[in-house]
């Protein structure tokens, strides 16, 4: 079977149901936590998986065994209002799930602006694996992203404009536009977070 055929079998047999179960668990664990805009989980589309499996680095395929090496076959997201909400959600995630990897993605240089977000690679919990699912159709891991509204909006638009499979490379001027919008989102996130903290402190002291 080709990679596409093998992934389609897994996609049809288990991934969508796993995504539904994982989303339900996250909703349960975060019930009552304020300032969460949305929670969602979905299986990676067949076309996107195949495109990722065909990525090359220095002429060689990046993944020799994509069905076992690509870790975001199911991806979940939690979108918060403010930056200060991310550590609250992260603490609950780490309490109830088994992390394989945790990282805060930020631009490499202080003078750069771009994608920002908290990413986890987590073990798929046994609670969401249904009895009729074959082990070969259940990935070991799923990805969870925790982002603010501004981080989410910028990353979605940025991916659609220049980073999805088949998209034309951005021109230098277009890259400057993307950097400008990233900087605006970065600043808005911090200003709103600062305002929220200030008003919270005022309300607590009144």
């Amino acid at each position: 079977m080709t990679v596409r055929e093998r992934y389609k079998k897994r996609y049809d047999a288990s991934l969508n149901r796993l995504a539904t179960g994982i989303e339900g668990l996250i909703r349960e664990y975060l019930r009552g936590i304020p300032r969460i805009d949305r929670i969602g989980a979905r299986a990676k589309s067949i076309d996107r998986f195949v495109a990722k499996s065909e990525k090359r680095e220095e002429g060689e395929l990046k993944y020799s065994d994509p069905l076992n090496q690509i870790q975001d076959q199911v991806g979940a997201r939690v979108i918060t209002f403010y930056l200060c909400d991310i550590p609250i959600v992260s603490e609950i995630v780490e309490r109830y799930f088994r992390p394989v990897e945790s990282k805060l993605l930020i631009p490499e240089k202080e003078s750069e602006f771009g994608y920002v977000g908290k990413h986890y690679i987590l073990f798929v919990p046994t609670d969401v694996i249904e009895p009729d699912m074959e082990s070969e159709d259940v990935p070991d891991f799923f990805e969870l992203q925790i982002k603010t509204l501004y981080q989410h909006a910028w990353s979605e638009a940025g991916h659609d404009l220049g980073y999805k499979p088949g998209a034309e490379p951005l021109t230098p001027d277009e890259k400057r536009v993307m950097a400008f919008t990233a900087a605006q989102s970065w600043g808005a996130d911090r200003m709103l977070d600062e305002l929220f903290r200030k008003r919270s402190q005022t309300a607590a002291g009144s």
Side-chain angles (χ1 to χ4, degrees):
M1 295 175 68
T2 65
V3 169
R4 177 179 288 274
E5 290 169 339
R6 291 170 62 202
Y7 184 71
K8 184 179 187 304
K9 177 179 179 293
R10 176 177 285 190
Y11 184 90
D12 293 339
S14 65
L15 293 185
N16 286 303
R17 287 189 287 164
L18 288 174
T20 299
I22 287 168
E23 179 178 328
L25 273 185
I26 296 171
R27 288 184 181 278
E28 178 183 338
Y29 296 148
L30 296 180
R31 185 180 294 126
I33 302 300
R35 299 181 302 279
I36 292 178
D37 180 70
R38 74 194 79 165
I39 297 168
R42 62 185 179 188
K44 197 175 197 69
S45 74
I46 296 170
D47 287 341
R48 286 196 173 186
F49 179 85
V50 172
K52 187 166 185 175
S53 74
E54 294 173 345
K55 283 187 176 180
R56 292 181 175 271
E57 292 183 348
E58 299 180 354
E60 299 293 328
L61 284 172
K62 182 176 180 180
Y63 303 103
S64 59
D65 185 8
L67 268 82
N68 289 315
Q69 293 172 324
I70 293 177
Q71 298 173 319
D72 62 347
Q73 295 172 43
V74 173
R77 288 175 181 166
V78 178
I79 310 300
T80 69
F81 281 20
Y82 307 116
L83 291 167
C84 61
D85 297 318
I86 291 178
I88 297 170
V89 174
S90 296
E91 189 276 328
I92 295 172
V93 165
E94 292 174 17
R95 186 191 312 165
Y96 289 107
F97 291 96
R98 292 171 58 203
V100 179
E101 179 179 300
S102 169
K103 58 185 175 182
L104 180 63
L105 298 183
I106 57 175
E108 292 183 358
K109 298 178 181 178
E110 293 84 351
S111 59
E112 294 178 347
F113 295 93
Y115 183 85
V116 178
K118 184 71 176 285
H119 281 213
Y120 286 96
I121 300 297
L122 304 164
F123 281 101
V124 171
T126 56
D127 311 51
V128 302
I129 301 174
E130 298 177 17
D132 65 329
M133 293 180 181
E134 297 182 15
S135 59
E136 65 180 20
D137 290 326
V138 178
D140 292 326
F141 315 111
F142 73 99
E143 182 187 65
L144 172 64
Q145 301 177 8
I146 307 172
K147 296 185 283 192
T148 66
L149 284 162
Y150 272 104
Q151 290 171 350
H152 174 68
W154 186 89
S155 64
E156 288 293 290
H159 186 272
D160 185 68
L161 287 167
Y163 299 99
K164 63 183 179 181
E168 288 292 322
L170 295 172
T171 66
D173 194 53
E174 288 171 339
K175 289 180 180 178
R176 293 187 189 95
V177 171
M178 291 301 297
F180 175 75
T181 59
Q184 297 279 50
S185 295
W186 181 89
D189 245 344
R190 276 147 185 77
M191 286 188 287
L192 287 175
D193 189 70
E194 183 179 336
L195 179 58
F196 170 73
R197 289 172 183 266
K198 180 180 178 181
R199 291 182 62 83
S200 296
Q201 291 171 357
T202 301
S206 61

